[in-house]
Amino acid sequence: MEQPRIVTRDEWVAARKDLLIKEKALTRAHDALSAERRQLPMVRVDKRYEFDTPAGPKTLSQLFDGRSQLMIYHFMMGPDWTEGCASCSFLADHIDGSVVHLAHRDVTLIAVSRAPLADLQAFRKRMGWRFTWVSSFGSEFNYDYGVSFTAQQLASGRGIYNFDKLRFPLDEAPGLSVFYQPHSSDAAGEVFHTYSTYARGGEAVIGAYHYLDFAPKGRGEDGLAFTMSWLRHHDRYDENYAVDPTRSYEPPARREPAATPCCAAHEQAQPATS
């Protein structure tokens, strides 16, 4: 990293004001883009999806919890994973503080994964999170919203991620999807899909990244084997933590497949999506 010049206070103020002009332009451009995002056309959700929740089975409409807006973080944790994705966990560390504020702006924020509910609850307890996390196991929800891929899609490279054909390396991917239910008091009312973002789109809600963008050393990801290789689950940092710039991506550990399904729902491993 090249060190900045050392200057007088007056020179620093002049340079800072020049940068402020660009920051204000970016803020105005961001506001304009957000307004354009809100004007995207909506798509009616005609398919019935059911989720396994701590309160029992719920439909997509019921996940709104009486509000008109629902945001779902697609958390990478597959049915046979032994723990959640470290990068998704990094983002999830920012969710709890937002949930109560969003609820008072008519927004319900939850996470959805394909792992069985018991596995989600166990990992949630380990990480100390409080947000609602439900399972879409046995449904086509993750596949329909572009964050899960069948074995055939992975083998052929025909999966669609971030609105384009992409040979994604795993059967699970991250994303954020937004839904709208105009008649929020009607749990069986119409639901519309308004927005989804994938890949680096999720950075917008990772506050720690924005703090690092203010810091002299920035994110410090240049030269790493992959951008997030420095990350750990927050319970795995200790006094011996050190960044290994050669550390490559480590796929999630998976449990050995059981000889027989533990319950009837597990027989629905994944839909026959082409």
Side-chain angles (χ1 to χ4, degrees):
M1 171 183 167
E2 184 179 350
Q3 295 294 323
R5 294 182 300 116
I6 298 175
V7 298
T8 66
R9 180 69 182 181
D10 288 344
E11 289 175 307
W12 179 88
V13 169
R16 178 65 188 92
K17 289 173 72 173
D18 287 343
L19 182 62
L20 182 58
I21 293 172
K22 297 177 181 178
E23 288 178 336
K24 288 183 175 181
L26 180 60
T27 298
R28 289 190 289 269
H30 179 271
D31 289 345
L33 183 62
S34 295
E36 186 174 348
R37 180 187 297 119
R38 291 191 294 271
Q39 292 304 310
L40 275 174
M42 302 187 296
V43 179
R44 181 180 289 102
V45 179
D46 292 323
K47 187 179 292 187
R48 177 183 171 85
Y49 298 106
E50 191 167 279
F51 304 84
D52 193 9
T53 86
K58 289 189 176 184
T59 64
L60 181 62
S61 179
Q62 291 170 327
L63 293 181
F64 281 76
D65 197 22
R67 302 181 183 92
S68 71
Q69 300 166 101
L70 173 67
M71 293 185 181
I72 290 177
Y73 180 62
H74 302 287
F75 193 116
M76 293 171 64
M77 189 167 173
D80 58 346
W81 294 25
T82 60
E83 61 184 2
C85 162
S87 298
C88 286
S89 298
F90 180 41
L91 185 149
D93 284 337
H94 298 77
I95 293 179
D96 278 337
S98 299
V99 168
V100 64
H101 301 288
L102 292 173
H104 287 83
R105 298 301 296 162
D106 194 30
V107 175
T108 296
L109 172 61
I110 67 170
V112 171
S113 301
R114 282 202 310 127
L117 182 62
D119 291 350
L120 300 181
Q121 290 179 311
F123 187 62
R124 175 178 176 266
K125 181 178 180 180
R126 170 190 150 187
M127 302 302 284
W129 295 326
R130 302 184 306 276
F131 60 80
T132 300
W133 196 357
V134 306
S135 173
S136 61
F137 189 82
S139 95
E140 297 181 348
F141 181 77
N142 280 46
Y143 297 94
D144 290 347
Y145 288 93
V147 291
S148 291
F149 310 99
T150 65
Q152 294 85 351
Q153 288 172 329
L154 290 173
S156 65
R158 289 189 290 115
I160 301 295
Y161 183 61
N162 205 13
F163 308 103
D164 202 358
K165 290 183 180 179
L166 181 69
R167 189 181 293 275
F168 201 80
L170 296 172
D171 50 351
E172 306 293 330
L176 177 74
S177 291
V178 184
F179 300 89
Y180 179 51
Q181 186 170 243
H183 306 292
S184 56
S185 61
D186 181 5
E190 288 188 314
V191 173
F192 298 89
H193 175 221
T194 66
Y195 184 73
S196 284
T197 188
Y198 306 98
R200 290 192 64 180
E203 287 183 11
V205 296
I206 301 179
Y209 258 154
H210 299 294
Y211 281 112
L212 289 173
D213 286 341
F214 288 130
K217 293 183 179 180
R219 301 186 183 188
E221 294 180 336
D222 293 342
L224 300 182
F226 71 100
T227 55
M228 286 184 156
S229 66
W230 61 274
L231 268 177
R232 306 289 185 271
H233 291 101
H234 66 234
D235 61 349
R236 288 193 172 144
Y237 290 111
D238 57 30
E239 64 275 8
N240 298 316
Y241 168 78
V243 178
D244 178 1
T246 66
R247 179 176 181 259
S248 60
Y249 180 75
E250 298 175 4
R254 298 170 186 258
R255 64 174 57 90
E256 293 296 323
T260 57
C262 66
C263 62
H266 284 198
E267 295 177 355
Q268 307 174 56
Q270 59 187 20
T273 307
S274 59

